[in-house]
Amino acid sequence: DIQMTQSPSSLSASVGDRVTITCRTSQTISGYLNWYQQKPGEAPKLLIYDVSSLQSGVPSRFSGSGSGADFTLTISSLQPEDFATYFCQQTFSFPFTFGPGSKVDIK
Amino acid sequence: QVHLVESGGAVVQPGRSLRLSCAASGFIFRNFGMHWVRQAPGKGLEWVAVIWSDGSNEFYGDSVKGRFTISRDNSKNTLYLQMNSLSLEDAAVYYCATDRGVGATFIEYWGQGTLVSVSS
């Protein structure tokens, strides 16, 4: 199975900050990496698919990049509604696996 | 728009069985693969299973393989998860979710989840 790690596991940031979250996989996964946002008490929401494709309706301040086994989610200017937990997921091979999550809270 | 409503969550004893359902609307259900994903209280997301749009293929996570079965009824726009031999570790909110394609590309839309508690 492909193992996933994320860093940091949590971070405190202010509105307007640039935030970067890293996801690493235990083997190369080509372009099969997706990012989800989850707020407390809510279902996850797709932000980015296939490394860098922005899901319809998601603000352009969210972007994804990376290749091989190293990937990044960037929020260019953090907004109040962005305080949440972010998960990466690989869909390169079964079983699909999620990263442990990165919680972004208010500084 | 896509609407997914899970049901069937309950409190069950270890070793017992439970079947979850997911009623889909707002899209052409028979054209899309479907997933189950779970989340234990205060924990991360765990992918459980996927089924192809026509039911021709199924894949499972390691922790549920051999105990859980995913199925669908395209005439009823409904997805199911049959869970047997439940253990304490299966306690979680179970989400159904759509795939972008007919099989397993990536998870696009999620339901609100149904809670399964396992307790003696």
Side-chain angles (χ1 to χ4, degrees), chain A residues 1 32 34 36 38 41-46 49-50 55-56 87 89 91 94-100, chain B residues 35 37 39 43-47 50 52 59-62 95 100 104-112:
Chain A
D1 298 2
Y32 298 93
N34 315 299
Y36 298 88
Q38 187 179 34
E42 296 184 7
K45 171 188 171 184
L46 176 66
Y49 62 93
D50 295 346
Q55 171 70 347
S56 176
F87 296 92
Q89 185 202 25
T91 49
F94 294 113
F96 292 169
T97 41
F98 286 92
Chain B
H35 301 256
V37 177
Q39 187 170 35
K43 303 297 184 182
L45 301 169
E46 181 184 8
W47 179 80
V50 65
W52 259 231
F59 293 90
Y60 296 90
D62 292 344
Y95 296 100
R100 169 64 73 90
T105 55
F106 57 87
I107 294 171
E108 188 164 22
Y109 298 105
W110 301 65
Q112 285 305 302

Side-chain angles (χ1 to χ4, degrees), chain A residues 44-101:
Chain A
K45 171 188 171 184
L46 176 66
L47 296 177
I48 302 283
Y49 62 93
D50 295 346
V51 178
S52 59
S53 295
L54 192 68
Q55 171 70 347
S56 176
V58 174
S60 59
R61 62 180 179 273
F62 291 93
S63 63
S65 63
S67 63
D70 290 286
F71 304 91
T72 298
L73 173 70
T74 299
I75 310 172
S76 60
S77 178
L78 197 66
Q79 298 302 299
E81 60 268 30
D82 301 336
F83 292 96
T85 301
Y86 295 86
F87 296 92
C88 58
Q89 185 202 25
Q90 66 82 18
T91 49
F92 176 75
S93 66
F94 294 113
F96 292 169
T97 41
F98 286 92

Side-chain angles (χ1 to χ4, degrees), chain A residues 17-38:
Chain A
D17 284 353
R18 182 181 182 88
V19 170
T20 299
I21 297 169
T22 297
C23 177
R24 289 195 170 90
T25 58
S26 59
Q27 64 184 75
T28 59
I29 61 168
S30 188
Y32 298 93
L33 191 285
N34 315 299
W35 291 96
Y36 298 88
Q37 176 195 64
Q38 187 179 34

Side-chain angles (χ1 to χ4, degrees), chain B residues 15-45:
Chain B
R16 303 300 290 264
S17 298
L18 194 66
R19 188 177 84 157
L20 305 182
S21 300
C22 171
S25 60
F27 66 106
I28 304 174
F29 180 73
R30 66 179 180 273
N31 287 354
F32 293 91
M34 294 293 295
H35 301 256
W36 287 100
V37 177
R38 69 184 182 182
Q39 187 170 35
K43 303 297 184 182
L45 301 169

Side-chain angles (χ1 to χ4, degrees), chain B residues 5-114:
Chain B
V5 179
E6 301 92 337
S7 61
V11 180
V12 295
Q13 294 179 323
R16 303 300 290 264
S17 298
L18 194 66
R19 188 177 84 157
L20 305 182
S21 300
C22 171
S25 60
F27 66 106
I28 304 174
F29 180 73
R30 66 179 180 273
N31 287 354
F32 293 91
M34 294 293 295
H35 301 256
W36 287 100
V37 177
R38 69 184 182 182
Q39 187 170 35
K43 303 297 184 182
L45 301 169
E46 181 184 8
W47 179 80
V48 173
V50 65
I51 187 168
W52 259 231
S53 60
D54 60 0
S56 59
N57 283 296
E58 307 159 25
F59 293 90
Y60 296 90
D62 292 344
S63 62
V64 307
K65 199 176 300 183
R67 299 187 300 122
F68 289 13
T69 302
I70 189 172
S71 63
R72 63 192 297 158
D73 186 337
N74 286 345
S75 69
K76 296 182 178 179
N77 289 350
T78 303
L79 177 72
Y80 302 101
L81 185 67
Q82 178 66 42
M83 304 186 294
N84 298 332
S85 303
L86 284 162
S87 69
L88 296 177
E89 291 70 35
D90 295 316
V93 173
Y94 285 74
Y95 296 100
C96 74
T98 70
D99 195 271
R100 169 64 73 90
V102 298
T105 55
F106 57 87
I107 294 171
E108 188 164 22
Y109 298 105
W110 301 65
Q112 285 305 302
T114 187

